[in-house]
Amino acid sequence: MTGKSLGFGNRHIEQNPIDVKDRLSVAASMKPQPVGDDLPSTRDVEKIVEAQEGTIRQQPLKIASKRKSKGIVQPLNMRVRLATHNRFVELSKTLRLPYDETLEWVLERAGVDEDGNPPAA
């Protein structure tokens, strides 16, 4: 066998064994042996990375937990102009609120009551 060892020691299977049972018995007698890794340890990799200029260390991502619903929900689909959509998305990002809470914020600021009535003029 040529190339890198697979960790089964120096035993070799004959080129032309007589039957499958012989192959299986030889394979069963083989015991894996640990093969050394050429890879550096995690600590060594961290030192190498930190030594390079311009490396930005990344922190693990924190997955935002989904907020619990305040009640019964209903999907709302609208087709709005792109400029309106972009304004709403940017407002939501600025307020750091999900879309449904941003919509509630806009309605409260507009003075719309719980029944959907606009403010009296």
Side-chain angles (χ1 to χ4, degrees):
M1 214 162 121
T2 60
K4 191 172 182 179
S5 170
L6 298 177
F8 289 102
N10 294 330
R11 289 194 168 189
H12 297 285
I13 298 177
E14 296 177 20
Q15 290 283 338
N16 297 318
I18 297 174
D19 64 66
V20 176
K21 286 185 181 181
D22 289 339
R23 289 186 187 194
L24 289 175
S25 65
V26 171
S29 67
M30 293 180 171
K31 294 188 178 174
Q33 297 177 353
V35 177
D37 289 336
D38 297 337
L39 301 174
S41 69
T42 305
R43 181 168 283 171
D44 292 339
V45 171
E46 288 177 358
K47 287 180 184 177
I48 293 169
V49 169
E50 288 176 1
Q52 294 181 2
E53 291 184 28
T55 302
I56 299 172
R57 185 160 177 88
Q58 293 182 343
Q59 297 296 327
L61 293 176
K62 292 183 180 178
I63 299 174
S65 60
K66 192 171 183 178
R67 298 181 188 196
K68 291 186 178 181
S69 175
K70 295 180 180 178
I72 299 172
V73 295
Q74 177 68 33
L76 177 65
N77 290 328
M78 295 186 294
R79 295 181 62 87
V80 296
R81 291 178 302 145
L82 181 59
T84 305
H85 172 269
N86 291 341
R87 286 175 56 203
F88 184 78
V89 170
E90 287 303 316
L91 175 64
S92 182
K93 286 181 186 177
T94 302
L95 296 174
R96 302 185 83 177
L97 293 173
Y99 292 158
D100 62 331
E101 291 181 25
T102 303
L103 183 58
E104 289 176 21
W105 184 86
V106 169
L107 291 171
E108 287 173 10
R109 294 282 296 223
V112 177
D113 67 11
E114 295 291 325
D115 296 325
N117 299 319

